[in-house]
Amino acid sequence: MLVAALAVGLAVAGRLATHDAVVFGSPAPTLTASTGAPTASPAPSPSATAAVTTSPTPSPTPTPAPSSLANDAAEMLRVHNDLRAAVGAPAVRADERVTIAAQRHAEYLARNDALGHDETPGAPGFSGVFVRDRLAALGYTDTTASEVATSFSSGTDGVRSLWVLPYHRLGLMHPHAIVAGWGHAEISGRKITVGVIVYDFTAPAPDRVRAPAPAQRVAGTYSGEEIPDVLPAGAARPVGYPIMIVFSSAREVDLRSARLTQVGGPDYAYHVVPQLYERDYVAVVPASPLVPGARYHIRLDLTVAGADLVEEWEFESEP
């Protein structure tokens, strides 16, 4: 399913951050899902031509010099690929057009003290209303793309913070992601990091990607802050590290049951993350923080493209 959503939340470590995600490239933010399997080259949205006022081949806009290597596009991509490699997802490659689109939107948000994915024509730094418009203006057309954004201490820290959030991690870890571009801007005291991810559902991909991966060690605590909320109303926070599995080829997945157990200890209560965007993933969130240094066993009884299967593996929480 192709939908878009706006997500805003608080980052870990108590630092104020905003997280915005357009998942799989719909033209405008909405919280309602549309039907249909993703395709590699969806038709342009009706607003694409009218909304873009930039020239077809614009040159890159002046960019504030990064304050450190942590804000460099190549370094942010390296961190993104390290996170993907740790869960068995193939590396995404760089594309200058995608990187420019991410950088320009980061600058737009910082200059205008704004949040989200839409840009307003005539505002300082305007480069296209939606992410698809901004890519098309740079000659990257007919894409399935998503965008994530955060205000954090540095670009690389922003990438890592977005990875924790289930709805944002969904795109960042997706097996069919093929290209990613990252930008970071610091203007008038405002710090913004933006990532743009492009997908190809016809490209070879792993059967599924799991995060945490088997035997991976992850943070035991997650703030639980993400909008749309991944937790039910009134749920206690903080919670444990979100557990996700994403299948390739846009196969529909249903969760029949789940069991999360501390090895040598008790079962853990969990929350199921609603499938708001598409149907190729399942995510659960431990209802309380994980015990430091403990090992956990997760079992997911699933129906994938009509066939029942069981996925189970173990991972660890950080000491």
Side-chain angles (χ1 to χ4, degrees):
M1 297 182 179
L2 304 182
V3 307
L6 179 66
V8 181
L10 294 176
V12 296
R15 294 183 178 177
L16 180 64
T18 60
H19 307 284
D20 308 291
V22 177
V23 178
F24 300 140
S26 285
T30 176
L31 296 183
T32 59
S34 60
T35 59
T39 59
S41 300
S45 67
S47 63
T49 301
V52 178
T53 59
T54 53
S55 63
T57 56
S59 59
T61 56
T63 301
S67 58
S68 70
L69 184 63
N71 298 333
D72 180 72
E75 182 67 6
M76 289 185 281
L77 181 63
R78 184 194 66 77
V79 170
H80 183 190
N81 273 326
D82 284 351
L83 292 166
R84 286 179 61 85
V87 299
V92 289
R93 67 180 184 271
D95 185 292
E96 183 181 12
R97 297 166 296 178
V98 181
T99 300
I100 291 172
Q103 180 63 39
R104 286 182 173 178
H105 191 55
E107 293 171 3
Y108 172 89
L109 295 176
R111 286 192 179 114
N112 292 279
D113 195 16
L115 300 172
H117 306 290
D118 302 1
E119 295 187 8
T120 301
F126 173 77
S127 61
V129 176
F130 307 120
V131 62
R132 282 181 54 125
D133 301 335
R134 297 189 283 273
L135 289 172
L138 291 162
Y140 206 134
T141 59
D142 293 331
T143 59
T144 300
S146 73
E147 185 177 81
V148 294
T150 181
S151 176
F152 217 75
S153 56
S154 72
T156 52
D157 283 346
V159 176
R160 295 185 183 97
S161 74
L162 288 164
W163 184 267
V164 178
L165 307 175
Y167 289 138
H168 297 71
R169 192 197 307 170
L170 172 61
L172 296 176
M173 70 179 279
H174 203 284
H176 284 290
I178 58 167
V179 172
W182 289 90
H184 182 85
E186 298 185 8
I187 301 174
S188 300
R190 294 183 290 273
K191 300 179 181 182
I192 299 290
T193 301
V194 171
V196 175
I197 304 98
V198 177
Y199 309 85
D200 182 355
F201 285 86
T202 68
D207 180 70
R208 79 280 192 266
V209 177
R210 298 173 289 186
Q216 187 177 15
R217 179 174 291 178
V218 295
T221 301
Y222 159 49
S223 69
E225 301 295 336
E226 188 174 14
I227 297 176
D229 203 340
V230 297
L231 305 179
R237 304 161 198 257
V239 290
Y241 190 86
I243 303 162
M244 300 182 66
I245 184 168
V246 186
F247 286 83
S248 60
S249 303
R251 287 170 288 170
E252 292 191 357
V253 184
D254 291 301
L255 176 65
R256 292 181 284 116
S257 66
R259 184 180 182 185
L260 176 62
T261 306
Q262 182 182 340
V263 176
D267 282 6
Y268 253 66
Y270 60 86
H271 304 296
V272 177
V273 176
Q275 290 177 314
L276 292 185
Y277 301 123
E278 55 207 267
R279 293 287 311 281
D280 60 357
Y281 73 98
V282 161
V284 299
V285 180
S288 58
L290 304 179
V291 175
R295 191 157 48 100
Y296 289 87
H297 183 95
I298 179 69
R299 174 186 169 113
L300 301 174
D301 289 82
L302 307 169
T303 300
V304 181
D308 292 344
L309 61 84
V310 174
E311 290 281 346
E312 52 185 331
W313 69 99
E314 294 184 358
F315 62 94
E316 298 179 4
S317 59
E318 294 177 349

